């Protein structure tokens, strides 16, 4: 249930108490280990060539359409972008490394990291064709979520181009709640971008975590690796249980 706001001595409605709030932790360099993949802090020497080659498997450059950078034709250009963008602390980038092949197959990051306010965003998600629609792709988001709330954050944000239907659908599937669209928020690659905003709150995480654990269980997949219960169904029911 939603916490109840309070009324002050002036008869004005004010926010509910956040008891014992201090601040959240800043993300560190720990590896986030999962069953199917691990999220390693992005490293230029270790990951850049693997990622560049993985993205080159996307012959139509679809992975770059809604990102404010790329595509990169030369590995030197990709490394220059990494040096400029990825190693300043915010955003905090991770490489998604497949546990079987040991190869980096995508990236994701934390950004707009605000420990004092308890708010943090996930973004710069870029999965190569080898990563897209895999269990590892979903587990990556689970690992990053789990880490966020273990660090004490109250709010986890997802923002994307409102025209990016795959990203909007992914946010809802993962348990984020749509909050609205900010019109004409950005100009990206010379085009207007309206941004759709989603969030997941700390009070929602316990039931969402159980949904992820049920979905990631080996019992939820058949011998061909096909899911038996959709994650979207599990997260939808989880959030409904809080109403």
């Amino acid at each position: 249930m939603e916490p109840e706001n309070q009324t002050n001595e002036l008869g004005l409605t004010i926010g509910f108490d956040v008891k014992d709030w201090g601040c959240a932790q800043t993300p560190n360099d720990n590896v986030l280990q999962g069953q199917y993949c691990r999220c390693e802090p992005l490293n230029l020497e270790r990951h850049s060539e693997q990622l560049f080659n993985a993205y080159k498997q996307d012959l139509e450059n679809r992975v770059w359409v809604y990102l404010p950078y790329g595509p990169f034709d030369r590995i030197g250009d990709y490394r220059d972008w990494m040096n400029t963008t990825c190693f300043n602390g915010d955003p905090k980038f991770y490489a998604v490394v497949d546990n079987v092949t040991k190869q980096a197959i995508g990236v994701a990051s934390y950004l707009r990291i605000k420990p004092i306010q308890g708010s943090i965003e996930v973004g710069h998600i870029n999965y190569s064709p080898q990563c897209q629609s895999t269990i590892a792709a979903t587990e990556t988001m689970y690992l990053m979520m789990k880490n966020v709330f273990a660090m004490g954050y109250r709010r986890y944000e997802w923002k994307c181009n409102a025209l990016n239907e795959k990203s909007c659908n992914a946010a809802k599937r993962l348990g984020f709640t749509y909050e609205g669209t900010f019109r004409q928020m950005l100009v990206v690659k010379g085009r207007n971008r309206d941004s759709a905003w989603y969030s997941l709150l700390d009070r929602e995480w316990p039931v969402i975590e159980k949904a992820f654990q049920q979905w990631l269980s080996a019992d939820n997949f058949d011998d061909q690796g096909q899911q038996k219960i959709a994650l979207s169904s599990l997260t939808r029911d989880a959030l409904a249980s809080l109403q």
Side-chain angles (χ1 to χ4, degrees):
M1 296 181 62
E2 295 283 334
E4 291 189 10
N5 291 319
Q6 299 172 341
T7 302
N8 70 5
E9 64 278 4
L10 301 175
L12 300 174
T13 302
I14 56 175
F16 60 86
D17 282 336
V18 182
K19 297 185 182 298
D20 302 319
W21 174 251
C23 71
Q25 302 170 33
T26 300
N28 56 32
D29 287 333
N30 289 347
V31 173
L32 310 180
Q33 182 65 56
Q35 302 175 68
Y36 303 93
C37 68
R38 62 184 182 274
C39 299
E40 299 180 358
L42 189 63
N43 180 280
L44 184 74
E45 290 74 21
R46 187 162 62 250
H47 300 129
S48 60
E49 184 174 1
Q50 294 176 9
L51 289 166
F52 181 78
N53 290 334
Y55 294 134
K56 280 300 180 184
Q57 302 305 308
D58 174 15
L59 300 180
E60 296 180 319
N61 287 322
R62 286 177 175 267
V63 298
W64 305 104
V65 169
Y66 294 108
L67 292 171
Y69 42 78
F72 302 99
D73 293 327
R74 299 180 303 173
I75 192 170
D77 295 334
Y78 182 58
R79 286 172 171 158
D80 287 344
W81 169 80
M82 287 179 68
N83 273 321
T84 300
T85 308
C86 301
F87 305 119
N88 301 312
D90 188 350
K92 172 71 173 177
F93 272 83
Y94 293 86
V96 181
V97 178
D98 184 275
N99 279 349
V100 175
T101 66
K102 313 301 181 186
Q103 296 291 300
I105 54 176
V107 299
S109 81
Y110 296 130
L111 65 157
R112 295 183 178 88
I113 302 168
K114 300 176 182 178
I116 293 175
Q117 300 301 326
S119 175
I120 191 170
E121 182 179 341
V122 61
H124 295 285
I125 301 167
N126 193 0
Y127 289 162
S128 72
Q130 298 99 307
C131 187
Q132 294 169 19
S133 302
T134 64
I135 301 174
T138 298
E139 187 179 46
T140 295
M141 293 294 98
Y142 167 68
L143 293 172
M144 293 184 71
M145 283 184 187
K146 184 177 180 179
N147 190 47
V148 158
F149 294 111
M151 290 187 293
Y153 285 88
R154 303 176 61 232
R155 173 181 172 84
Y156 195 32
E157 298 179 336
W158 176 296
K159 304 186 185 97
C160 63
N161 190 315
L163 299 176
N164 187 347
E165 293 183 5
K166 285 189 175 181
S167 188
C168 292
N169 290 336
K172 291 180 283 189
R173 171 179 177 265
L174 295 168
F176 288 85
T177 296
Y178 174 68
E179 295 184 324
T181 295
F182 283 48
R183 300 178 299 164
Q184 295 189 190
M185 183 176 176
L186 298 169
V187 177
V188 177
K189 295 178 177 175
R191 296 184 181 275
N192 177 68
R193 171 175 148 167
D194 298 343
S195 291
W197 286 42
Y198 300 83
S199 70
L200 178 65
L201 305 182
D202 54 352
R203 63 176 177 267
E204 298 165 337
W205 172 239
V207 296
I208 293 296
E209 181 177 27
K210 290 180 181 177
F212 271 99
Q213 290 171 342
Q214 182 177 348
W215 187 83
L216 287 166
S217 171
D219 294 337
N220 190 44
F221 298 92
D222 63 22
D223 293 338
Q224 286 72 45
Q226 297 299 308
Q227 66 180 4
K228 298 176 182 177
I229 304 176
L231 180 61
S232 57
S233 175
L234 295 171
T235 55
R236 182 180 61 247
D237 290 349
L239 291 175
S241 72
L242 300 177
Q243 302 304 312

